[in-house]
Amino acid sequence: MPNLIRLLSAAAGGYFLGTAPSADVASRLVSRGAVDIRSSGSGNPGGMNVRRVLGRGPGYAVVAADIAKGTGACAWGRRCAGDPGAHVAGVAAVVGHCYPLWTGFRGGNGIATSFGQCVYTFPVYAPFDFALAWAVARIPGVRKPALLSVGVSSGAWVLASMIWSKRRLPNLWGPRATAALPIANIATVLVIASRAVA
């Protein structure tokens, strides 16, 4: 029972950290309340829409904040319940970002927050994840480069985590590469996919 309570604490903390409205805060600060990011541009409360509506600086700041939500949630989870807690809290942060209670479960796409999860729980792979997503997004002639980028990088992230867990490969400062790593990554990809088709 104590282990379950610790995991629930990790999940709850991760979720609530994930709900932090970084895009809303940035739009209010930059526009002094004149812009509602949820009704501007694409309507998505994320870094890319903030960049499109308010400029590069605020957009990149929101991306950084959303990445920090993912890493911070994992750190909280690990403190609460060890390595399993880091994975649980990371997934919960992505759920919180995509489906925040405070805004009627209408949130962002969870991409930056999931990268924050990757940085903490699968740090050895994080640079490859970023490079792959960046490269795919810049393939000429693709109609929806962002969607392709997310799809390819998500699939590679899950596949790499399966290989790491099966072979028990080193993982820098992250949790030991066990079956929990690909399970958490698959769960996160499913959350992001559910938001994409909603």
Side-chain angles (χ1 to χ4, degrees):
M1 183 62 83
N3 287 338
L4 177 59
I5 291 172
R6 287 196 289 268
L7 285 172
L8 289 174
S9 297
Y15 176 82
F16 287 115
L17 187 56
T19 65
S22 49
D24 296 292
V25 170
S27 66
R28 287 190 194 114
L29 289 175
V30 173
S31 71
R32 297 184 180 179
V35 173
D36 176 9
I37 201 63
R38 294 174 183 272
S39 59
S40 303
S42 67
N44 178 55
M48 295 309 294
N49 193 37
V50 171
R51 180 186 174 197
R52 187 180 300 116
V53 174
L54 298 173
R56 288 187 177 184
Y60 291 142
V62 170
V63 170
D66 288 345
I67 292 171
K69 290 196 299 189
T71 56
C74 292
W76 161 258
R78 200 176 199 181
R79 184 179 180 90
C80 288
D83 287 357
H87 294 298
V88 167
V91 176
V94 176
V95 173
H97 180 85
C98 294
Y99 299 102
L101 177 65
W102 327 118
T103 57
F105 302 105
R106 179 174 165 245
N109 294 331
I111 308 302
T113 305
S114 71
F115 183 69
Q117 175 189 354
C118 181
V119 167
Y120 194 95
T121 62
F122 199 10
V124 70
Y125 182 73
F128 299 100
D129 185 57
F130 177 83
L132 179 62
W134 185 87
V136 171
R138 278 151 185 78
I139 295 175
V142 177
R143 290 188 62 187
K144 294 186 177 180
L147 183 61
L148 180 64
S149 173
V150 170
V152 170
S153 62
S154 295
W157 181 37
V158 169
L159 180 60
S161 65
M162 289 177 174
I163 294 169
W164 248 258
S165 67
K166 184 174 182 179
R167 299 186 178 180
R168 297 291 196 267
L169 296 173
N171 193 24
L172 298 179
W173 61 79
R176 286 185 306 113
T178 65
L181 178 62
I183 290 171
N185 294 349
I186 290 168
T188 292
V189 168
L190 290 175
V191 172
I192 292 171
S194 74
R195 185 68 180 82
V197 300

